[in-house]
Amino acid sequence: MGRVMGTPAAPTFTRAALAPGLLGAIVLLAGLALLDDESFIIIRYAVSILALIICVFVIQARSWYWLVGLVPMAVLWNPVVIIDLSGQGWVSAQFIAAIIFIVVGLRTKVPVRKD
């Protein structure tokens, strides 16, 4: 017997935060090499902007609890008002922030708007 293929159901959500989350994790890990360099300002801009972009997706997904990790990232990596951090704690913060980016990117499901 032939198998009849139906129209696939439209997705009800997207993982819009996944791409910026993975990109943010890559930037943070690459930034480990630039921690004591002046060019670390580029890492600060990228991390802060990506954290704020993901905040928008988290708000759209109504997953407010992720803001607890994302807002401090946007503030600590802020390139305008630099909070001078260094040492092993700052290195650890880079890894923790990368993990937060990945987890939030994977877990955030932004509902698809039907216009």
Side-chain angles (χ1 to χ4, degrees):
M1 274 194 197
R3 198 167 135 191
V4 179
M5 299 296 285
T7 305
T12 58
F13 67 88
T14 64
R15 295 201 188 272
L18 184 58
L22 293 176
L23 181 60
I26 291 168
V27 167
L28 281 162
L29 296 177
L32 288 170
L34 303 172
L35 276 177
D36 296 325
D37 196 73
E38 283 186 24
S39 56
F40 187 73
I41 193 81
I42 297 167
I43 304 300
R44 286 184 178 274
Y45 271 103
V47 171
S48 187
I49 290 168
L50 289 168
L52 291 172
I53 289 170
I54 295 174
C55 281
V56 171
F57 293 133
V58 163
I59 291 168
Q60 289 176 347
R62 300 189 194 285
S63 300
W64 314 108
Y65 46 89
W66 290 121
L67 294 175
V68 172
L70 293 169
V71 170
M73 286 169 55
V75 172
L76 289 175
W77 276 267
N78 171 12
V80 178
V81 180
I82 295 176
I83 299 171
D84 193 24
L85 299 170
S86 60
Q88 193 60 38
W90 188 233
V91 172
S92 299
Q94 296 277 120
F95 283 110
I96 293 167
I99 292 169
I100 291 171
F101 266 145
I102 293 169
V103 171
V104 173
L106 288 171
R107 302 290 310 223
T108 302
K109 296 178 181 178
V110 179
V112 174
R113 293 175 55 187
K114 296 185 177 161
D115 295 328

